[in-house]
């Protein structure tokens, strides 16, 4: 009985009716609806999204805590493409002028390795993700818990980022590695 209470409690904590209704309403809107309108609707649902951010499609927000929606910050001038998944068990901070491509996944939580009888230990370990100003995450990038991507960095398509990325770096691969430093440009 206690176990089912735990499962029901987890379900209750992860279900957000207002956010689900917002996503449903936005899914019914035609594709030409402005990303600024989507941003405004997400703000009404309680997300910390800058007024100058542009959200091209529905964002899939998942988490196992009651207030995980409060753990997302999207800075000004940022663009979030379609089919982006954000696990927000810990803080996800997206800086100003960041571009996030389609099918990007940002995951803040994982599990410890358990014994042979249950390798995925039950306890969730959540660590924040920080994407600093001016970054570009190309299509299909996966960012794992506890990663900071330094300002002005570019993450190549399909990369899996499992450790911090220095500022102004171009990284690619699985796992992602720094391929070269990028010029500073006109800051």
């Amino acid at each position: 009985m206690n176990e089912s209470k735990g499962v029901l409690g987890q379900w209750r904590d992860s279900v957000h009716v207002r956010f689900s209704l917002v996503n449903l309403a936005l899914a019914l809107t035609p594709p030409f609806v402005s990303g600024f309108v989507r941003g405004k609707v997400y703000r009404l649902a309680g997300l910390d999204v800058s007024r100058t951010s542009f959200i091209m499609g529905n964002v899939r927000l998942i988490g196992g805590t009651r207030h995980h929606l409060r753990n997302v910050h999207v800075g000004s001038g940022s663009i979030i493409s379609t089919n982006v998944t954000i696990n927000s068990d810990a803080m996800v901070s997206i800086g100003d002028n960041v571009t996030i491509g389609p099918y990007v996944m940002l995951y803040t939580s994982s599990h410890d390795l358990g014994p042979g009888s249950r390798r995925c230990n039950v306890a969730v370990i959540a660590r924040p993700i920080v994407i600093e100003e001016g970054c570009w995450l190309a299509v299909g990038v996966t960012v794992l818990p506890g990663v900071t991507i330094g300002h002005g960095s570019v993450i190549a398509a399909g990369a899996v980022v499992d450790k911090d990325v220095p500022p102004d770096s171009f990284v690619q691969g699985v796992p992602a590695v720094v391929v070269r430093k990028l010029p500073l440009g006109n800051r």
Side-chain angles (χ1 to χ4, degrees), residues 22-185:
V22 163
N23 261 351
L24 177 63
L26 289 174
L28 298 173
T29 60
F32 58 81
V33 169
S34 170
F36 294 112
V37 171
R38 289 180 190 279
K40 182 173 185 158
V41 173
Y42 280 127
R43 277 192 302 283
L44 291 172
L47 291 178
D48 180 15
V49 176
S50 169
R51 294 187 187 286
T52 60
S53 293
F54 194 87
I55 301 175
M56 298 171 82
N58 284 8
V59 175
R60 183 171 179 243
L61 278 171
I62 56 176
T65 61
R66 180 173 295 249
H67 302 292
H68 75 91
L69 295 178
R70 296 180 187 165
N71 287 339
V72 177
H73 165 77
V74 180
S76 65
S78 291
I79 300 169
I80 298 177
S81 189
T82 59
N83 300 302
V84 171
T85 300
I86 300 174
N87 165 257
S88 56
D89 286 327
M91 188 67 182
V92 176
S93 179
I94 299 169
D96 297 342
N97 302 313
V98 169
T99 299
I100 296 182
Y103 299 100
V104 167
M105 295 187 292
L106 308 174
Y107 272 85
T108 62
S109 63
S110 186
H111 304 270
D112 272 336
L113 214 60
S117 59
R118 185 178 186 130
R119 287 295 181 203
C120 181
N121 202 348
V122 177
V124 172
I125 298 170
R127 296 185 352 239
I129 292 175
V130 177
I131 303 169
E132 294 180 351
E133 176 182 1
C135 293
W136 172 24
L137 281 62
V139 65
V141 167
T142 300
V143 180
L144 298 179
V147 168
T148 295
I149 299 175
H151 65 82
S153 291
V154 176
I155 313 300
V160 177
V161 185
D162 64 349
K163 60 183 178 269
D164 290 352
V165 174
D168 299 308
S169 297
F170 180 83
V171 302
Q172 66 183 28
V174 178
V177 294
V178 176
V179 175
R180 68 179 187 266
K181 293 297 282 179
L182 297 171
L184 295 179

